[in-house]
Amino acid sequence: MAAGRITGALLAGALLFALAPAAAGVTCPADRIDRRAAVAWVNDGDTVELADGTRVRLVGVNAPEFGRDGAPDQPFAADARAALVSWLEAAGERLHLRLDAERRDDYGRLLAHAFLPDGRSVSRLLLERGLAARVTVPPNTWHHACYARAERVARAAGRGVWTLPRFAGLPAPQLPPDAGGFYIIEGTIERVGESRYAWWLVLDSLTLRLHKRDQRHFEGLEPAALAGRSLRVRGWIYRAHGQARMNLRHPAAVEWLEPG
């Protein structure tokens, strides 16, 4: 099978997710198609390799990761890949790709919104089945509002990743000292700092970095006045100078938990 190998219980689990009811009124259709391609391999729930060797990272979603260097797989990583495999097998292992403003990521992968030949959005399917969380990384913001609606369906139903603490809004004081990767964190901004290029919003054990070049996306936001505000924020945690940090790129990554 060109798109990957799944058998037995894994196939059964994939079918449960693949056949989950679709969200009424949420379709996230393509406005154009820039490329039609055959898929040779499914790396995980949000990355595939095309027949010509091009690696494609799906825009707008983050699926659970497979473990590396002896680390365990994240929950639902196998389910996300298996569901994508099942959709591709039914579609003759072909995808239609819609490009966005930025074409490549830091790893050289092609960034694209993917659609099955029947027009269904792959990102939307993953989101509404709880097999991925939405992410918005400017300048690739096309369809982010539609993806948010699809995600709300799975989140309200408690499907898939929405059963996991790291997706449920983990309180900042409970962030593990070795935490890394994608998290959704809740907390209160204790203090705000400013450097030449960024604003620094400190939430207990996590520091949010808002680069000043991204501040234009946060229309009307005054970072210096944010101390005391509570929020739920999503993104990738990394470590620098002994701190757990998360880059804050777009307002779609933030849910304010009280009026501003």
Side-chain angles (χ1 to χ4, degrees), residues 76 85 122 134 150 160-161 169 172 240 253:
F76 300 104
V85 167
V122 173
R134 62 171 175 82
V161 298

Side-chain angles (χ1 to χ4, degrees), residues 173-198:
Q174 296 179 21
L175 186 68
D178 59 347
F182 188 85
Y183 272 82
I184 298 178
I185 301 294
E186 289 185 4
T188 299
I189 299 172
E190 298 176 350
R191 62 184 184 277
V192 178
E194 182 182 7
S195 62
R196 181 177 180 183
Y197 297 110

Side-chain angles (χ1 to χ4, degrees), residues 9-34:
L10 184 57
L11 177 59
L15 290 175
L16 285 176
F17 282 108
L19 297 176
V26 181
T27 58
C28 305
D31 59 347
R32 69 171 193 265
I33 296 298
D34 297 309

Side-chain angles (χ1 to χ4, degrees), residues 14-27 87 120 124-131 149-155 157 159:
L15 290 175
L16 285 176
F17 282 108
L19 297 176
V26 181
T27 58
W87 297 327
R120 288 180 296 162
R124 187 264 297 179
L125 291 172
L126 289 166
L127 289 167
E128 69 184 13
R129 287 156 175 78
L131 296 175
R149 292 194 297 273
E151 180 191 86
R152 282 196 291 269
V153 173
R155 195 170 173 179
R159 292 179 190 152

